[in-house]
Amino acid sequence: MEDTEIVGIFDLDNTSWSVHTRKFLSAAEKEGRLSLAAEDIPKSFVVCADDKVILTQPNTAILVRRLEIQEKIHV
């Protein structure tokens, strides 16, 4: 995901109950915008500015922490 602007990071356990989230993820899959970056059951998904949606294994807290560390390195 380098050089990709992240729009949001979402927890699947907290968002997948919503019909809107399920429709969004289903549409992304049908349109070929959904990719899987996990070998096990995904815990979160990342929405990128380039319309990509990435299912990931790490939870949202870990992803946010990694982004914060990465931002400190690039400053």
Side-chain angles (χ1 to χ4, degrees):
M1 272 194 308
E2 273 187 51
D3 297 333
T4 300
E5 188 173 335
I6 295 174
V7 175
I9 300 172
F10 303 91
D11 182 274
L12 277 171
D13 286 338
N14 292 326
T15 59
S16 61
W17 61 268
S18 169
V19 66
H20 300 292
T21 302
R22 289 194 307 271
K23 284 182 181 180
F24 173 77
L25 293 173
S26 179
E29 183 177 24
K30 287 177 185 174
E31 295 166 5
R33 298 182 296 114
L34 185 72
S35 61
L36 182 61
E39 292 182 20
D40 206 357
I41 297 171
K43 294 180 183 170
S44 59
F45 66 97
V46 179
V47 178
C48 302
D50 60 2
D51 280 341
K52 290 182 183 174
V53 180
I54 305 165
L55 295 172
T56 66
Q57 178 61 39
N59 64 36
T60 55
I62 291 171
L63 292 173
V64 169
R65 196 173 16 222
R66 287 179 184 175
L67 286 171
E68 290 171 347
I69 291 169
Q70 189 176 38
E71 285 178 1
K72 288 179 183 178
I73 291 171
H74 291 307
V75 171

